[in-house]
Amino acid sequence: MAKPTLAVHKFSSCDGCQLALLNMGPDLLALAEQLEIKHFAEAGIVNESAPVDIALVEGSVVTAADETRIREVRANSRYLISMGACATSGGIQALKNLAEDPSAWVGQLYPQTEFIDSLDRSHALKAYVRVDFELWGCPVNSRQVVAAAGQLLQGVSPVDNREKLCLECKRAGQVCTLVTRGEPCMGPVTRAGCGALCPAFGRACYGCYGEAELSNGDALQRRLEGLGLAPERAAARFRLIHPDQQQQDPLQLSGGDHDPA
């Protein structure tokens, strides 16, 4: 019996999520025993146009060529999973969307703009194609990838964990970064899933796992201002990693979607 197939595609990003996959070690080998990897350029396997059952896609769309290519990836994939902050909400590249004239940014950075191929705005994948499931984080971790792929292989819709990081942090026995240490921590409005990594090292969470369910952003904004942040700087912390944040409907397994239109 043929194995289900997998492709890992990269768009505009730092490659951090692909490196997180490579760093999975034994978990990656176990995944490779269950799936046939058709395309994963960073691992040396190149066949970008191969039809696959599951496509993991890192990065956001920033060029016209990206827009064409993500539609091709969607057409060649039964399930498409966006992987990481850039793919799920635009990431750092989408900060230009907050400017009144994003096209002017290019001129501020490069003396010869005619050589720069960039759309005026940069968006997450779901702005262009249907995304079946989102893996949040900057970068994602191996537990997320293995769990989502395993659930899909079993014909089960992946679980979208949107509980707050504060719960994960408390279960790990960490000292509260926001209340006890007085740091501008985004944990109260951020999804769990990272293992409370930053608070474990005494650092405030900066929200890379995206918005948690039932978040009270107004209350956290007041708390951040109470710690001494100017209102505009406190507000900016909500948009630093996810400037193009939108929620989407959860995956309903129905045999996949070959036609994104």
Side-chain angles (χ1 to χ4, degrees):
M1 180 177 177
K3 293 179 182 178
T5 51
L6 173 78
V8 181
H9 295 275
K10 169 190 161 56
F11 285 74
S12 293
S13 62
C14 69
D15 284 27
C17 291
Q18 291 184 88
L19 290 174
L21 291 182
L22 290 174
N23 285 335
M24 286 169 57
D27 285 341
L28 180 59
L29 296 177
L31 190 63
E33 290 181 353
Q34 302 177 62
L35 293 162
E36 181 182 359
I37 300 176
K38 291 285 192 179
H39 175 72
F40 187 178
E42 196 144 322
I45 305 169
V46 180
N47 187 1
E48 190 175 40
S49 60
V52 294
D53 294 300
I54 301 173
L56 296 173
V57 184
E58 175 196 72
S60 61
V61 172
V62 302
T63 68
D66 284 346
E67 187 173 348
T68 299
R69 187 159 65 92
I70 190 58
R71 296 188 191 285
E72 293 172 350
V73 169
R74 173 71 268 189
N76 287 331
S77 309
R78 185 179 181 194
Y79 299 113
L80 190 153
I81 299 177
S82 60
M83 180 173 63
C86 298
T88 53
S89 67
I92 298 297
Q93 300 86 279
L95 284 173
K96 68 178 180 180
N97 298 354
L98 305 177
E100 290 185 4
D101 183 9
S103 62
W105 278 35
V106 176
Q108 295 173 19
L109 296 172
Y110 301 98
Q112 294 175 293
T113 59
E114 64 271 26
F115 297 113
I116 305 301
D117 178 16
S118 178
L119 297 170
D120 286 347
R121 298 182 185 276
S122 177
H123 294 294
L125 304 184
K126 60 195 165 196
Y128 304 92
V129 296
R130 172 169 172 75
V131 172
D132 296 308
F133 192 68
E134 297 176 321
L135 290 172
W136 293 76
C138 184
V140 296
N141 65 49
S142 60
R143 296 191 308 275
Q144 294 173 285
V145 177
V146 170
Q151 289 159 354
L152 282 174
L153 290 174
Q154 296 299 321
V156 178
S157 297
V159 175
D160 186 21
N161 180 11
R162 295 188 60 201
E163 73 170 9
K164 296 178 177 64
L165 178 69
C166 287
L167 299 177
E168 190 170 42
C169 199
K170 292 294 181 293
R171 287 196 292 266
Q174 306 296 345
V175 173
C176 183
T177 309
L178 179 66
V179 176
T180 305
R181 298 183 188 275
E183 298 289 336
C185 184
M186 300 300 291
V189 299
T190 301
R191 290 169 180 247
C194 65
L197 184 61
C198 289
F201 288 93
R203 296 169 46 190
C205 166
Y206 56 91
C208 76
Y209 268 66
E211 184 179 1
E213 62 182 354
L214 303 175
S215 294
N216 189 339
D218 291 340
L220 182 59
Q221 168 89 19
R222 290 193 295 273
R223 175 60 180 166
L224 297 183
E225 292 177 18
L227 292 175
L229 271 70
E232 62 273 16
R233 296 201 60 176
R237 295 185 71 86
F238 290 83
R239 303 191 300 266
L240 176 63
I241 305 296
H242 303 290
D244 196 29
Q245 191 164 174
Q246 311 167 47
Q247 300 299 333
Q248 69 163 31
D249 295 332
L251 168 63
Q252 299 294 322
L253 287 181
S254 59
D257 181 2
H258 291 269
D259 182 3

